[in-house]
Amino acid sequence: MSPAAAGALFIASLLLALALCHRPLGGYMYRVYAGTRHSRLELGIYRLIGVKPDGEQRWSGYARSVLAFSILSILLLYGLQRLQSHLFLSLGMGPVEPALAWNTAVSFVTNTNWQAYAGESAMGHLVQTAGLAVQNFLSAAAGLAVAVALVRGFARERSETLGNFWVDLVRGTIRILLPIAFVAALLLVAGGVIQTFDGHFTWTTLTGGQQTFTPAAAAGQEAIKELGTNGGGVFNVNSAHPFENPTSWTNWIEIFLLLLIPASLPRTFGRMVGDTRQGYAILSVMAILAVLAIGVTQWAELGAGGTVPQAVGQAMEGRETRFGVSNSGMFASATTLTSTGAVDSAHDSYTALGGGMLIFNMLLGEVAPGGVGAGLYGMLILAVITVFVAGLMVGRTPEYLGKRIGTREIKLASLYFLVTPALVLAGTATAMATGTGRSAMLNTGPHGLSEILYAYTSAAANNGSAFAGLGANTAFYNTSLGLCMAFGRFLPIVLVLALAGSLARQAPVPVSAGTLPTHRPQFVGLVVGVTLVLGALTFLPALALGPLAEGLR
Amino acid sequence: MPTSVPKAPGRSSGGRANIPAGGGLVDPGQLLRALPDALRKLNPAKMWRNPVMFIVEVGAAFTTVLAVLDPSWFAWAIVLWLWLTVVFANLAEAVAEGRGKAQAATLRAARRDTTARRLRDSADRTRWDVVGAAELRQGDHVIVEAGEVVPADGDVIDGIASVDESAITGESAPVIRESGGDRSAVTGGTRVLSDRIIVEVTQRPGDSFVDRMIALVEGADRQKTPNEIALNILLAALTIIFLIATATMQPLAIYAKSANPGVPDSLALTADGVTGVVLISLIVCLIPTTIGALLSAIGIAGMDRLVQRNVLAMSGRAVEAAGDVSTLLLDKTGTITLGNRQAGAFVPVAGVTEEELAGAAQLSSLADETPEGRSIVIYAKERYGLRERAPGELAHAEWVPFTAQTRMSGVNVDGREVRKGAATAVMKWVRDGGGHPTDEVGHLVDGISASGGTPLVVAERGRVLGVIHLKDVVKEGMRERFDEMRRMGIRTVMITGDNPLTARAIAEEAGVDDYLAEATPEDKLALIRQEQAGGRLVAMTGDGTNDAPALAQSDVGVAMNTGTSAAKEAGNMVDLESNPTKLIEIVEIGKQLLITRGALTTFSIANDVAKYFAIIPAMFAAVYPGLDRLNIMRLASPQSAILSAVVFNAIIIVALIPLALRGVRYRPSSAARLLGRNLYLYGLGGMIVPFIGIKLIDLLIQFLPGMS
């Protein structure tokens, strides 16, 4: 089988598996969030944290809970890192630098998992398991909760409340993430991923040097790292590490896991608003954008440099031989289309256009299918903006799912839409304008620019993957990227919840022949078009001086 | 100069929203006349109201400074076209306002200073003071006689008069205004042609109907409508994004230049980054100037289109709401059916021929000037060939007029007595004359009533001849209209005082979706509340005082100009022609307004794609030659590429002024089809047109100095 055919088979089998799984999982998640009964374990947790599980929150209360929970988590994670040498299971590692500890704490709480450290040499078992792994669950559950709150805004009528954040958080963790992650971890262990706390071992390398390795509970962390679209690996080289991702089969599982929940959420959305066709429409938009993105990257990578470089293996630069060009490309596409940021190859080594496409995936707001929860609410915001312009063209005040998109709604959606471009572009420009920023580039010219653009895009979009080629563990980058991650996560969340609040208050407008249908191919095509055009218009100048300047010759 | 009053009479009754009304096209003269206004609007304090164009103006001013400091042909050409962009935007608004101003001028003529004869005591109609019209207060009573101008808005409380309202409605035929009933309102500025009336003033000083009309057509207190505000927010957000995108490009551009030290400075890119003139050009090309420039003109033109159809909207909000309406409440009489019932059949009793009955019916109706009476004569003529005779021909005939007591009319001629009228009255008259009407007559009468018609019995002294069947006649084309409404997703509900049986028969014939029979004003109000509770917007027309609560409750309440002051006060639109069918056109105009905004927004955003393809290679191909592959239009030089984009951006505003004023073509159809068509035209068209336009401009201007 040719590499291209093998790659196509790999990609097609993934898409098929997702197509089979999204309905049952989406329906299950719908039942999780719509249910009214609490398990005994959950009731115990509510009592412990002092929450009345049946008390509903208004949007502002919901938002305050998200923020309070997140700030507390950041402080906790920061403390754990700074104090790890005084605690147990530190493996003898010292306290993490303040700037790096801030960056890492924000990174994991915001579901970004940008890692400016090397896991093996900076974080002990305690930080890894009680800090980072816990946040891998909770940050994903928080994203799910916000998405569910927005969908409730569409589904509810004349309601002041959006549900209870703590209940949504606990249910998402216990009923959705933990069980799937458990099964996935077993599969990964079966596939050869390690799961142990046993000491160190040392061996002699090919060059005769001594190398020490500390095994870790990799499989458990790996499962939630992908499932929760987190991306923060136990080891520095992330999913390229043979103990994190030993075979093509585990590679397949990991890609599947990172796409699984985001691709199933449109189904949950459809069920919650009582019209599964709306869910299919949103899923179709995601699928079309994803397939286009995957296609461009595959085309760029498989065709890189022509026959000779391919034959001599030049195209394999930065890839693991056990995955190859095509499967690595698929992992790279999936990780940037979601907000995962796990990597099994060095994106820096991709062709200019292939790497540019990865940046563009994130710049579009990571909506195809996006992060756990974040992808759905990002896509719904795009649908709202599309409905606004298209709705005018049918001669009515625009409405989506029976809710009018008026002044307040479009204000919130527009602000949401502003956040990512403002952070990415302002961050990149600041770094490019300062000597401190430029000095971290390991390449010059457009490629160096792409490295910085990639870093700020990854942080603002809460992706967390790195292009590599940028010495990002400096006070400047740790601080500024940390700020991008925090604003890139919480500003949109507050805006989304405010939007949900104003939608929930409305009485629905009944559907008639004069209503813009939002479940047809026409609308799907329109959202795809609006997403691509707005994304391209916003970022073309920056992309032109980076990937396009390098790639167009 | 369109000096005629709002519009020629009778134009709009059959007019449709997609017919360009009253000079939808802009002639160059109009643009020239609007130019002074457009220049006055350059005042930054006024430009601020339009953030997108304000930024263009600031950019134009900034580039002017740059061009003075570092003059070049290229810089001055850009400066010129940036200023033209702002002027063109102002021109659009000025042209739209100009049409209103012409109308306001004719209205002002109607608001002459008049004097009024104010009664000292409302009980005594003989003593009055002569005062200026401005001194009148609400509740004052004034006397107006033939030849005088009504000094203020009010209700006739005594008398009847014919009034010339052409100054306001443009309708030259005089109308009758009388005390009591629903035709009591008179408007200040109209002229009484005959008789004498006492008017109770209902307006506050300086707040007359004409005052409000002038303010409306001039757009003096024009407020942004909710949807306009929402759209402005989106446009502002897009503007901010493009400002960020261009501003943050600068450090990247400086780096790109420094990374390629061998490349000489150009007009577009120096060691200090992209030059100010080019940067401003890029910003202006990217921000949504097309829709930003035309947005307010679209709003003004929408109101104007209503005025063309003799409808005054008291707020832009109401026009917008009209587009959203999902339920139309239509009065049966006058809207769905012709105002009056008409003879539809002569049904003789046994032993009488139809011709015999027709003859008697005609004879009894010759002097009957009511529309029903006229229709009997016409029906007899058309159906039975009976010659219409003038009452004067029968010199010795004694005409018996209809009175409320007798409830019948007729004639005594040559010893023959003929009557027609309400069944009970005529039957009594027959019995009194010694006749014995059979049960057959009763059956005929009941049958006609049950079918929704009105029976009139025709009789001679002592003998019933038969029954005239008066029918409601559904106006022509109504069924098609209602089908159209259904396709647009609008539900039509017929409101009638008839019994449910009659109502259903007519509802079925007319093809409305629903009906409300034996409707009282309370029923109407309840129906509106119920529809609104279901999230629907309701539009209705009304004229009577008892319609006022429903008019106030509805989202679009169109009061008839013939109606009472209370009704006019309660509604948010007034139809000067008092044509209830116009509600349908109002809905179409509302939709057209929103569609025009959406279409031009889409067009504006879609345009940016081509502009990037012109400007990005122009800026950066010098440092990264590969980017010249983006120059797919093969524009002659970086300078001509940038200037072409700026010129296109300015010219497209002027080119679209007619469309903004006329509104995009609107044909009632489902939302999906409308969207498909508009996307194709303004979305796809918006992508392609600028590629062609910029290329054509480039072909011309590449020969200008400084372009190579």
Side-chain angles (χ1 to χ4, degrees):
Chain A
M1 208 186 302
S2 74
L9 191 66
F10 184 83
I11 294 165
S13 63
L14 269 168
L15 296 181
L16 182 69
L18 288 169
L20 290 174
C21 291
H22 84 103
R23 277 185 61 155
L25 180 59
Y28 172 72
M29 289 194 285
Y30 161 71
R31 288 191 294 280
V32 166
Y33 289 107
T36 50
R37 283 214 295 250
H38 311 286
S39 71
R40 210 175 298 163
L41 173 64
E42 287 165 357
L43 283 172
I45 295 173
Y46 299 143
R47 212 166 302 138
L48 194 72
I49 58 177
V51 167
K52 288 198 196 93
D54 296 318
E56 292 252 317
Q57 292 173 308
R58 303 159 73 92
W59 82 262
S60 48
Y62 205 102
R64 271 198 303 276
S65 299
V66 178
L67 294 181
F69 173 74
S70 302
I71 291 168
L72 200 71
S73 300
I74 291 174
L75 291 175
L76 214 96
L77 205 48
Y78 182 83
L80 263 182
Q81 293 177 75
R82 298 285 295 141
L83 301 174
Q84 73 165 339
S85 55
H86 303 287
L87 303 170
F88 46 94
L89 282 178
S90 70
L91 303 177
M93 294 185 194
V96 181
E97 285 292 302
L100 178 61
W102 140 261
N103 183 285
T104 307
V106 172
S107 166
F108 275 75
V109 172
T110 56
N111 198 251
T112 312
N113 303 34
W114 173 268
Q115 293 169 294
Y117 62 91
E120 300 91 326
S121 55
M123 306 292 173
H125 284 322
L126 184 73
V127 177
Q128 286 281 14
T129 341
L132 305 183
V134 167
Q135 276 310 320
N136 277 351
F137 281 97
L138 295 180
S139 67
L144 272 174
V146 173
V148 166
L150 175 61
V151 178
R152 285 194 189 118
F154 282 109
R156 292 189 174 183
E157 303 172 7
R158 297 187 189 85
S159 168
E160 286 293 325
T161 58
L162 295 173
N164 184 314
F165 169 69
W166 306 103
V167 172
D168 293 336
L169 182 75
V170 168
R171 283 190 186 176
T173 310
I174 292 182
R175 299 196 200 175
I176 297 171
L177 297 172
L178 273 171
I180 304 178
F182 181 74
V183 176
L186 292 184
L187 281 176
L188 288 170
V189 169
V193 181
I194 60 165
Q195 175 81 5
T196 173
F197 283 153
D198 270 359
H200 307 254
F201 57 92
T202 307
W203 72 95
T204 310
T205 63
L206 285 175
T207 51
Q210 291 284 306
Q211 195 165 343
T212 304
F213 180 72
T214 311
Q221 181 124 294
E222 192 66 24
I224 188 60
K225 170 188 121 186
E226 314 297 358
L227 182 69
T229 61
N230 292 290
V234 184
F235 306 120
N236 189 30
V237 293
N238 210 295
S239 288
H241 198 289
F243 287 169
E244 266 196 53
N245 190 5
T247 63
S248 217
W249 163 235
T250 54
N251 199 38
W252 190 97
I253 296 180
E254 290 184 11
I255 299 174
F256 174 76
L257 283 176
L258 64 85
L259 291 168
L260 179 62
I261 292 181
S264 304
L265 275 172
R267 176 77 186 177
T268 313
F269 159 73
R271 292 288 303 275
M272 285 180 80
V273 298
D275 183 357
T276 48
R277 296 174 309 172
Q278 304 290 349
Y280 280 119
I282 292 295
L283 184 63
S284 306
V285 177
M286 293 174 167
I288 291 171
L289 289 171
V291 168
L292 286 176
I294 294 167
V296 169
T297 306
Q298 293 287 330
W299 164 80
E301 297 312 308
L302 287 174
T307 324
V308 176
Q310 291 277 355
V312 299
Q314 190 186 321
M316 281 300 291
E317 180 202 308
R319 276 86 164 176
E320 296 293 305
T321 48
R322 61 186 186 282
F323 304 139
V325 173
S326 187
N327 295 7
S328 299
M330 177 60 194
F331 197 110
S333 296
T335 200
T336 48
L337 285 167
T338 61
S339 78
T340 311
V343 288
D344 74 354
S345 55
H347 295 177
D348 198 23
S349 301
Y350 279 51
T351 59
L353 294 181
M357 192 63 220
L358 300 181
I359 299 179
F360 196 57
N361 288 342
M362 295 187 280
L363 289 175
L364 287 183
E366 291 175 347
V367 289
V372 167
L376 180 64
Y377 62 68
M379 178 51 78
L380 289 177
I381 295 278
L382 284 168
V384 163
I385 290 177
T386 305
V387 156
F388 184 77
V389 177
L392 284 178
M393 277 195 287
V394 304
R396 277 168 72 114
T397 298
E399 60 209 42
Y400 185 45
L401 304 171
K403 299 301 175 84
R404 286 208 168 89
I405 309 303
T407 310
R408 184 175 157 78
E409 289 76 20
I410 201 67
K411 191 185 292 172
L412 294 166
S414 299
L415 283 173
Y416 179 103
F417 190 75
L418 272 175
V419 172
T420 311
L423 291 174
V424 170
L425 294 174
T428 307
T430 313
M432 291 304 296
T434 56
T436 334
R438 284 198 302 272
S439 63
M441 289 195 280
L442 304 185
N443 293 77
T444 55
H447 196 78
L449 197 150
S450 297
E451 288 164 357
I452 290 181
L453 178 64
Y454 193 107
Y456 282 96
T457 305
S458 176
N462 294 152
N463 184 279
S465 64
F467 209 39
L470 185 70
N473 189 10
T474 66
F476 173 80
Y477 279 103
N478 278 334
T479 313
S480 64
L481 291 173
L483 287 171
C484 280
M485 288 188 267
F487 287 128
R489 172 78 165 179
F490 298 115
L491 283 179
I493 282 184
V494 172
L495 293 167
V496 161
L497 290 172
L499 177 66
S502 80
L503 292 172
R505 270 196 292 275
Q506 289 186 28
V509 182
V511 174
S512 73
T515 313
L516 170 75
T518 52
H519 60 272
R520 299 209 186 145
Q522 182 189 48
F523 184 74
V524 170
L526 195 56
V527 181
V528 170
V530 167
T531 308
L532 289 176
V533 168
L534 285 184
L537 292 181
T538 311
F539 296 110
L540 207 56
L543 290 172
L545 291 172
L548 288 180
E550 189 189 354
L552 295 176
R553 288 194 193 282
Chain B
M1 194 77 183
T3 47
S4 69
V5 274
K7 63 165 257 338
R11 253 282 304 290
S12 73
S13 40
R16 298 293 304 275
N18 52 9
I19 296 172
L25 291 169
V26 182
D27 64 282
Q30 223 174 339
L31 290 176
L32 267 182
R33 273 192 304 279
L35 195 58
D37 269 337
L39 293 175
R40 262 193 295 278
K41 284 171 188 283
L42 286 174
N43 179 356
K46 285 184 186 160
M47 287 298 296
W48 177 243
R49 272 174 59 93
N50 184 342
V52 176
M53 294 319 294
F54 180 74
I55 286 180
V56 180
E57 185 175 35
V58 171
F62 182 63
T63 47
T64 310
V65 174
L66 291 179
V68 170
L69 295 177
D70 184 13
S72 69
W73 279 103
F74 170 69
W76 280 110
I78 294 282
V79 167
L80 172 72
W81 280 96
L82 290 183
W83 281 112
L84 280 177
T85 310
V86 190
V87 171
F88 288 164
N90 291 344
L91 206 56
E93 196 178 69
V95 169
E97 286 173 350
R99 304 161 130 212
K101 282 193 176 133
Q103 268 148 3
T106 55
L107 284 170
R108 281 220 173 77
R111 205 188 47 174
R112 291 174 289 235
D113 276 337
T114 51
T115 53
R117 287 190 280 163
R118 182 171 66 191
L119 294 180
R120 288 184 190 160
D121 175 5
S122 53
D124 178 1
R125 307 223 158 127
T126 56
R127 283 141 49 87
W128 59 74
D129 301 317
V130 175
V131 298
E135 290 172 44
L136 293 174
R137 295 288 176 272
Q138 274 173 299
D140 286 350
H141 289 187
V142 295
I143 288 190
V144 193
E145 276 184 348
E148 290 180 340
V149 171
V150 177
D153 299 350
D155 283 325
V156 180
I157 54 168
D158 190 55
I160 176 167
S162 59
V163 180
D164 171 14
E165 295 193 337
S166 62
I168 292 167
T169 63
E171 191 74 53
S172 54
V175 293
I176 301 295
R177 292 284 177 261
E178 59 186 334
S179 62
D182 290 341
R183 291 191 300 172
S184 63
V186 285
T187 310
T190 56
R191 182 176 293 277
V192 172
L193 295 179
S194 71
D195 302 287
R196 159 186 162 130
I197 47 177
I198 311 276
V199 174
E200 180 173 300
V201 176
T202 54
Q203 69 163 87
R204 278 179 294 277
D207 186 29
S208 72
F209 188 63
V210 173
D211 287 329
R212 273 187 286 160
M213 269 181 81
I214 291 171
L216 280 168
V217 294
E218 278 194 326
D221 51 357
R222 198 171 62 84
Q223 308 230 315
K224 285 197 178 127
T225 56
N227 183 266
E228 206 177 343
I229 294 171
L231 184 54
N232 259 315
I233 290 172
L234 183 73
L235 297 182
L238 286 172
T239 306
I240 294 170
I241 285 184
F242 290 130
L243 281 177
I244 294 175
T246 36
T248 55
M249 187 180 71
Q250 198 65 305
L252 278 58
I254 294 170
Y255 173 77
K257 185 72 173 53
S258 69
N260 297 276
V263 178
D265 285 359
S266 70
L267 267 171
L269 189 64
T270 68
D272 296 327
V274 177
T275 57
V277 172
V278 173
L279 204 61
I280 298 289
S281 303
L282 179 61
I283 291 176
V284 169
C285 283
L286 291 182
I287 63 175
T289 46
T290 313
I291 180 67
L294 297 173
L295 191 56
S296 72
I298 294 170
I300 298 169
M303 297 280 272
D304 192 52
R305 273 198 296 283
L306 278 178
V307 176
Q308 306 270 351
R309 283 169 179 73
N310 263 352
V311 175
L312 280 188
M314 295 304 167
S315 71
R317 190 183 279 257
V319 187
E320 228 165 57
D324 281 344
V325 157
S326 41
T327 307
L328 280 188
L329 303 191
L330 299 165
D331 279 325
K332 183 201 76 178
T333 308
T335 311
I336 295 171
T337 63
L338 294 173
N340 304 94
R341 298 178 163 212
Q342 295 189 353
F346 295 138
V347 189
V349 295
V352 178
T353 65
E354 278 188 43
E355 284 72 18
E356 206 177 335
L357 173 62
Q362 185 216 36
L363 195 60
S364 67
S365 304
L366 282 175
D368 185 349
E369 283 301 320
T370 65
E372 287 86 354
R374 303 286 316 150
S375 82
I376 293 170
V377 175
I378 290 167
Y379 187 74
K381 180 182 169 190
E382 286 177 352
R383 189 69 191 269
Y384 300 97
L386 295 181
R387 188 174 64 86
E388 203 175 330
R389 289 172 286 188
E393 281 180 44
L394 303 165
H396 43 284
E398 179 196 343
W399 302 104
V400 181
F402 177 88
T403 68
Q405 282 74 39
T406 61
R407 293 198 292 147
M408 56 188 181
S409 61
V411 65
N412 300 334
V413 62
D414 302 334
R416 190 179 174 207
E417 293 176 55
V418 184
R419 297 288 184 276
K420 73 150 206 297
T424 48
V426 177
M427 304 271 264
K428 182 174 179 298
W429 178 76
V430 169
R431 283 193 206 93
D432 291 349
H436 300 283
T438 56
D439 287 347
E440 190 196 356
V441 181
H443 291 313
L444 288 177
V445 167
D446 291 346
I448 290 169
S449 296
S451 74
T454 306
L456 289 181
V457 175
V458 182
E460 286 178 354
R461 175 61 78 182
R463 183 168 82 112
V464 172
L465 297 173
V467 188
I468 303 170
H469 186 165
L470 291 182
K471 284 178 175 167
D472 261 319
V473 180
V474 173
K475 284 185 182 172
E476 218 172 305
M478 291 316 281
R479 180 172 272 280
E480 289 72 33
R481 268 295 175 81
F482 296 139
D483 287 345
E484 251 173 30
M485 293 280 126
R486 204 167 298 119
R487 280 199 295 279
M488 289 156 63
I490 294 172
R491 219 165 71 87
T492 44
V493 182
M494 182 182 86
I495 309 286
T496 170
D498 293 340
N499 63 56
L501 216 59
T502 310
R504 198 177 70 192
I506 297 166
E508 272 170 14
E509 192 186 340
V512 292
D513 296 314
D514 204 354
Y515 61 89
L516 182 66
E518 290 173 350
T520 62
E522 292 75 34
D523 292 341
K524 226 166 160 176
L525 193 58
L527 177 68
I528 294 173
R529 293 223 168 103
Q530 179 197 327
E531 291 285 320
Q532 287 172 335
R536 297 186 181 83
L537 265 60
V538 183
M540 66 168 287
T541 56
D543 51 7
T545 301
N546 55 15
D547 283 332
L551 278 172
Q553 177 72 35
S554 61
D555 301 281
V556 178
V558 184
M560 300 291 104
N561 191 44
T562 53
T564 61
S565 313
K568 285 205 262 183
E569 200 65 43
N572 46 19
M573 292 191 194
V574 176
D575 179 12
L576 299 174
E577 281 176 358
S578 305
N579 169 11
T581 317
K582 215 179 280 172
L583 196 50
I584 297 171
E585 282 172 46
I586 292 173
V587 168
E588 291 181 349
I589 289 174
K591 285 200 178 291
Q592 197 189 18
L593 174 69
L594 293 178
I595 293 174
T596 307
R597 274 188 203 141
L600 290 182
T601 304
T602 309
F603 188 84
S604 196
I605 297 171
N607 269 205
D608 282 0
V609 176
K611 293 174 193 163
Y612 262 136
F613 276 96
I615 296 183
I616 292 223
M619 288 190 300
F620 299 128
V623 281
Y624 298 125
L627 288 177
D628 198 47
R629 279 172 62 177
L630 294 180
N631 182 9
I632 55 174
M633 288 174 271
R634 308 315 314 164
L635 303 177
S637 70
Q639 291 92 314
S640 77
I642 294 165
L643 185 60
S644 300
V646 171
V647 169
F648 176 83
N649 193 52
I651 286 181
I652 197 72
I653 295 174
V654 179
L656 289 175
I657 288 178
L659 184 69
L661 296 185
R662 194 180 60 224
V664 305
R665 205 159 66 92
Y666 173 67
R667 247 199 224 144
S669 59
S670 74
R673 291 187 56 178
L674 262 179
L675 179 62
R677 177 180 178 276
N678 287 327
L679 267 182
Y680 186 69
L681 266 179
Y682 299 98
L684 196 62
M687 292 242 189
I688 297 168
V689 165
F691 278 105
I692 301 167
I694 291 174
K695 177 68 188 171
L696 288 177
I697 294 168
D698 180 73
L699 286 176
L700 285 177
I701 64 168
Q702 55 179 298
F703 303 111
L704 289 181
M707 285 301 129
S708 53

